[in-house]
Amino acid sequence: MPEMTKTRLLLVDDDDDLRETLCLILEHGGFEVLSAANVNDALKLIGANIFDVLVSDLHMPNDGDGLTVVSAMRHSNPKAVTIIFSAHPEMKAAAAAILAQTDEVFVKPQAVVNLVEMIRAKMKAEPGPVKVVSTVATILEDDAAVTIKNWLLRVDADKHIVWVKLDDTKRTAHLPQLFRDLVYRLRNPLELGSHALVSAAAAEHGLLRREQGYTAAMMVEESRMLQVSIFQTLQNNLHRVNFSLVLIGVMAIADEVDSQLAQAMTAYIGESKVDSLPNIA
């Protein structure tokens, strides 16, 4: 009779002694085990192999490193059983966002035999719906209207900005295009150190804000509130964000928003200089 294929398992932990011990026990339990000591090695293995199970430490050495591995596994092997283990018992109670992408949280130092039993039980259980992992670009695209609404609430609560009387449509007129630019930037990343793309809409926004009576400080504060609102949207979507790409996404968002502010301010200041020139008849 043909030999039955073993369940393939990826073990990720930066503790060499623990990783080697777990490898031996899991192999004795009938699993075919590949192991990685860090996030980068784990991502390489996930990209090159098909796995049935992921068992990953949460801290390697940074908080939440394991979530990056989980997100990558969910993307490449969406049906794989994923188990995070942590040395902190309080993680079990504070794992709502983690459990949205992970099947179980295993707290060290439980008896390792319990880990084997847990994996077996999870594999026998009826599979739940495949957990959807989304990119930062998709989340911002899907929730652009919600983010703009939250931004407007922050702006309306700032007496220094609402001193300029505008209806909501005029106040937010620049944001739909800005979000389209953000999504494009996230899906077409620039090399580190590259200049952000030129935005005609940003320059027009600077000219319009000057015409509407904004000061430069008010424009800077609006931009700061926009970044806060965008990051709040990401926070609200931790249950579906692809953690392996979130840091790169956050860096691109900050750079793009700052670049558009700089372009708006350049237009704003340029127009101010033109207006200050003497009127020669």
Side-chain angles (χ1 to χ4, degrees):
M1 293 183 64
E3 183 180 349
M4 292 184 64
T5 303
K6 288 185 177 181
T7 299
R8 176 168 275 198
L9 182 149
L10 174 61
L11 172 66
V12 189
D13 197 305
D14 61 349
D15 185 322
D16 294 339
D17 292 337
L18 179 58
R19 189 177 65 257
E20 291 175 9
T21 300
L22 284 174
C23 276
L24 292 174
I25 293 173
L26 290 166
E27 287 171 350
H28 182 73
F31 297 101
E32 178 186 346
V33 182
L34 294 180
S35 66
N38 54 63
V39 173
N40 287 339
D41 288 349
L43 296 180
K44 290 176 184 176
L45 288 172
I46 290 171
N49 299 273
I50 295 176
F51 291 99
D52 304 295
V53 181
L54 167 68
V55 177
S56 176
D57 191 8
L58 182 60
H59 311 283
M60 297 180 294
N62 301 311
D63 291 348
D65 279 345
L67 296 181
T68 298
V69 180
V70 168
S71 290
M73 183 64 81
R74 283 296 182 203
H75 181 73
S76 296
N77 299 269
K79 294 183 179 180
V81 170
T82 58
I83 297 174
I84 282 281
F85 55 96
S86 170
H88 307 289
E90 64 272 15
M91 282 304 304
K92 190 75 173 181
I98 297 173
L99 284 173
Q101 294 192 35
T102 308
D103 293 300
E104 189 57 74
V105 176
F106 185 84
V107 180
K108 300 174 184 177
Q110 294 183 30
V112 177
V113 67
N114 292 345
L115 176 59
V116 176
E117 292 174 356
M118 179 190 295
I119 295 171
R120 295 292 185 201
K122 291 293 180 183
M123 295 191 71
K124 289 179 181 178
E126 283 291 324
V130 175
K131 297 177 176 67
V132 177
V133 177
S134 300
T135 64
V136 173
T138 298
I139 290 170
L140 290 188
E141 187 174 51
D142 292 347
D143 285 11
V146 173
T147 309
I148 291 172
K149 181 179 179 180
N150 290 338
W151 173 84
L152 190 58
L153 290 173
R154 287 186 168 90
V155 170
D156 285 345
D158 190 313
K159 62 181 181 181
H160 298 295
I161 294 179
V162 296
W163 176 81
V164 174
K165 302 298 182 183
L166 295 175
D167 61 33
D168 291 352
T169 300
K170 290 182 178 178
R171 187 89 67 186
T172 63
H174 65 296
L175 291 179
Q177 182 58 49
L178 190 149
F179 271 86
R180 286 191 287 270
D181 290 343
L182 266 179
V183 170
Y184 179 86
R185 167 78 179 270
L186 289 165
R187 289 182 174 152
N188 301 272
L190 299 172
E191 293 184 8
L192 289 177
S194 301
H195 289 292
L197 301 176
V198 174
S199 171
E204 291 174 6
H205 172 60
L207 295 174
L208 183 59
R209 279 294 190 250
R210 186 177 183 283
E211 183 179 310
Q212 291 167 339
Y214 269 62
T215 65
M218 291 162 66
M219 291 175 61
V220 171
E221 183 61 13
E222 274 196 346
S223 181
R224 185 193 67 80
M225 290 180 180
L226 177 60
Q227 290 200 45
V228 171
S229 299
I230 290 171
F231 296 146
Q232 184 61 58
T233 293
L234 296 182
Q235 176 70 25
N236 294 343
N237 284 275
L238 283 181
H239 61 285
R240 66 187 183 106
V241 70
N242 185 342
F243 282 95
S244 64
L245 299 175
V246 72
L247 180 57
I248 295 174
V250 167
M251 292 169 62
I253 289 168
D255 186 59
E256 183 65 28
V257 173
D258 286 346
S259 172
Q260 295 225 5
L261 172 62
Q263 293 179 61
M265 291 296 295
T266 298
Y268 178 101
I269 294 169
E271 188 67 14
S272 299
K273 290 180 177 178
V274 169
D275 287 350
S276 65
L277 293 174
N279 187 11
I280 301 175

